Every structure is written in C-alpha cells, then in structure tokens.
Amino acid sequence: MLFAAAAALGVLPVLVATAALPETSAVLSGSAFIKSIQDADGSYGTTDLGQNVDAVFAVRAAGYDPAKDLVGGNGPVQFLTARVAGVASPAAAAKAALGARALGMNPKAIAGIDLIARVNQGYDPAKGTYGGDDFSQSVAMLGLACTGNTVPPAAVAALKSTQLAPGGGWGFGGFADPDTTAIALQALLASGTPKTDSAITKAFAYLKSSQGNDGGWGFDPSESNASSTAYVIQALIALGENPDAAGYERGGVTPVQFLVSQQQPNGSFKGFDAAYATNQALPALAGRTFCNAPDSPVTRTRPAAAATPAPSPSATPVASQTAAPKPPSTGTGERSKSAGGLPAISGIAVLCAGAAALSAGRWRRR
C-alpha cells in the first residue's frame, strides 16, 4: 500500500505493499482479541507503553480507529497522555511518536511533551547514534522518518557500519537475528536508502538465507515464531516483495501461510505472550510495514457490544451453589491478559538462550 497523500506532498517515504495481502479474516479476528483484553485505563492488557503502541499499530492496521477503543471513557489516547512524561530514551520516544500519529495526535504536543524533540535530544552527533544497539537505532530512525522528520545522514551511516559480515544481518552481541535485521532494513529504506544499496541487498540476502524450513523465521531455522516472521514479512513488503509468492515457500508453506497458521481460536497468535505476538502479527498480515501501519486507512467501526440482560427478579431465594475452585495463581508480576495468561515479557527472550536474545527482547518492547 502507498502513503498516497503523503507521497503527493513529498513528506513521508513511500513503501510498497503487495497484492497478496491482507489476510482480512485473520486480521479482524486478531483485532477483536486485542479489544477483548483492554483494561479500564485504556491500555491493551498491559501497562507497558511500548507494547500498547504495538497494539495501537495492530488495531489501526486492521482498519479501526484505535482512538475510539474506549473502556469507561478511557482509551489508548488517555493512556499515552498519562504515560508520555515517563518516556525517556530516543527509541521509546520515537515509537510513542508513531503511536501518537496512529491515534491522530500531534507527536510534538502531548501533555506539553514534544516526542520528536526527545528523540533528537538523545542523538550523539559525534557517533551518529540514538542508542547503544541496532534495534534502538532503527526504531529511532523510523520514528523520525515516518513522522515526516529528518534522519541525519550520520545516523544512516552509523547503522550501516554495524551490519555484520559476511552474513549481512544486524543483531546483538555480534550475532545477527531476523528481527533486528528486518527493522534495520526498514529504517534504512524509510530514511531514503535505495533498494540497490549494498547494505539493503546484503540484508535481503541474509533474510532469505535465514528463513526456516517451516516457511517462517526465528532464532532456530527449524522452529520459527510469529513475531520474527511478522517483522520479516514487513521488511519484505517494504522492499516491494510478495511474501506469499512461491519463491518464499519452504516445504510448501509461504511466510504468510506460516503466520496465519499460528493464530489460535480466540484470535490471538501463538507465543510466550500471546498478546505480544498478536500485536506483531496483525500489521504484517494487513500488508502494512512498521512505517505505514500508523497511517493505515480507517475503514471499519467496532461491532456494538452486546447488552448484558438484567437478571429476572425471583421471589424464592436461590439455594447457594458450591463455589467454583479458584484458578491457580500465575504470580504477582505485570501480565498481559493473553490466551495463556503468561507473564508479559518479550517473546524473543524465551525463544533463544543467551545474551543476544535477551537484549533483543528488551528493545523490541520499546
């Protein structure tokens, strides 16, 4: 899909989508799941701001206006407004800026906070960096480029300089991973790097070579996951590729088919944290990139909630029933109300052992 209006103005990067998407049924089912876990403060099943912004992207990519997702008058607009003062790092500010755009807010004026200024305040012009890792650098660049702001050439050069040889990917601790590579590739494209640039072609080659035998991507080629696959699908879309084409089949399964196969009956996607996996999967299945998901056209309205019938009065007291057993405790930490009721930690941290995966998980949530 194209940023039609923005392209006409020459403001935002134009990222081409493919005709193979969207997977509408899967997207709508997943969006209904996200709405079902929304809390009274307007957040989507967790108080983590980064994951809420991912949910906003997912809802917007599904064709809904996330600003209208309300619980008792509170929605993601109110949640972001209440939390924006605590946004500190350039990557977190950049992602929040994209979330604000998806919500129809001005990222430069949210409760007196200028998120774009916060991104730029964290920039080190001597190094060309916004953070200490490739994922943070990429998100900061995307937050600027995809809100119509300038990415310094030195930042582009800094990201290119950390590309790993000989594979062509990016990652943590000297090891490439598909998630970081996919987001870095999108950041370079959004910042104006042509598809013919060697950094892009090498990253593309890395993604093709690291595809799993099941059609998806993950840290283990024999065991892909929804989140990694979604990131790579978005990168392929940004490159103008068709991720549902026969050329991407592995064992007769394309990346899109693999991702759809990870959806569960309640609309969520498989993952250690089903809400997190769902947030990542929906924009990809809607044919949207990390950059243009916040600008997805609003084409749908949520179904009206069914009214709860009032209980009929009874003259005869009802005999007390045996109480249902209390569900087992799942701990006292913050949780997403996802399909498995599991702790809301980054999916990547449990997909792979080692410091590289743990570091990646921390930054993907931002």
Side-chain angles (χ1 to χ4, degrees):
M1 297 182 184
L2 300 176
F3 284 102
L9 295 173
V11 175
L12 298 177
V14 178
L15 301 179
V16 181
T18 68
L21 296 167
E23 286 284 347
T24 304
S25 178
V27 169
L28 295 183
S29 180
S31 181
F33 168 79
I34 293 173
K35 181 68 176 83
S36 76
I37 63 172
Q38 191 174 19
D39 286 321
D41 63 356
S43 64
Y44 292 106
T46 175
T47 57
D48 181 86
L49 181 58
Q51 189 164 334
N52 273 279
V53 172
D54 286 331
V56 165
F57 294 163
V59 172
R60 184 67 187 258
Y64 297 109
D65 182 356
K68 294 182 179 179
D69 274 357
L70 301 175
V71 177
N74 289 323
V77 169
Q78 289 73 24
F79 181 79
L80 176 58
T81 301
R83 297 273 175 163
V84 69
V87 174
S89 74
K95 191 170 182 180
L98 285 169
R101 186 177 183 87
L103 290 165
M105 305 169 75
N106 180 357
K108 294 185 177 182
I110 303 176
I113 304 295
D114 184 341
L115 288 168
I116 302 303
R118 288 203 172 181
V119 177
N120 290 323
Q121 286 166 4
Y123 179 62
D124 183 344
K127 298 179 179 179
T129 57
Y130 292 96
D133 63 88
D134 298 332
F135 204 98
S136 296
Q137 178 79 359
S138 300
V139 171
M141 291 166 61
L142 282 162
L144 291 174
C146 303
T147 55
N149 292 281
T150 302
V151 176
V156 174
L159 184 57
K160 288 182 179 181
S161 73
T162 58
Q163 190 171 27
L164 297 168
W170 283 269
F172 293 80
F175 298 93
D177 66 74
D179 305 58
T180 307
T181 303
I183 205 74
L185 190 154
Q186 291 182 78
L188 291 175
L189 290 173
S191 301
T193 303
K195 290 191 289 186
T196 54
D197 188 275
S198 62
I200 300 294
T201 58
K202 290 176 182 177
F204 185 27
Y206 166 80
L207 291 176
K208 290 192 290 185
S209 68
S210 62
Q211 186 178 6
N213 301 325
D214 51 11
W217 279 265
F219 287 87
D220 180 348
S222 66
E223 188 175 355
S224 300
N225 67 79
S227 298
S228 297
T229 302
Y231 271 120
V232 177
I233 287 176
Q234 288 184 299
L236 295 177
I237 293 170
L239 283 166
E241 292 288 306
N242 179 357
D244 210 28
Y248 287 102
E249 286 185 5
R250 297 293 183 272
V253 179
T254 69
V256 173
Q257 290 170 335
F258 170 81
L259 187 53
V260 171
S261 77
Q262 300 303 292
Q263 191 165 35
Q264 303 182 102
N266 68 349
S268 69
F269 283 74
K270 296 177 184 176
F272 189 85
D273 179 357
Y276 179 83
T278 305
N279 294 340
Q280 305 305 319
L282 263 56
L285 291 178
R288 309 299 289 180
T289 67
F290 195 93
C291 189
N292 68 16
D295 290 293
S296 300
V298 175
T299 58
R300 298 183 173 93
T301 56
R302 293 283 195 188
T308 302
S312 300
S314 175
T316 304
V318 178
S320 61
Q321 302 293 322
T322 303
K326 183 178 180 180
S329 172
T330 55
T332 58
E334 177 187 319
R335 296 174 300 170
S336 289
K337 296 186 298 184
S338 53
L342 295 170
I345 66 174
S346 167
I348 197 173
V350 295
L351 293 171
C352 173
L358 290 171
S359 298
R362 286 196 296 269
W363 292 110
R364 281 175 52 192
R365 290 285 299 278
R366 295 192 173 192

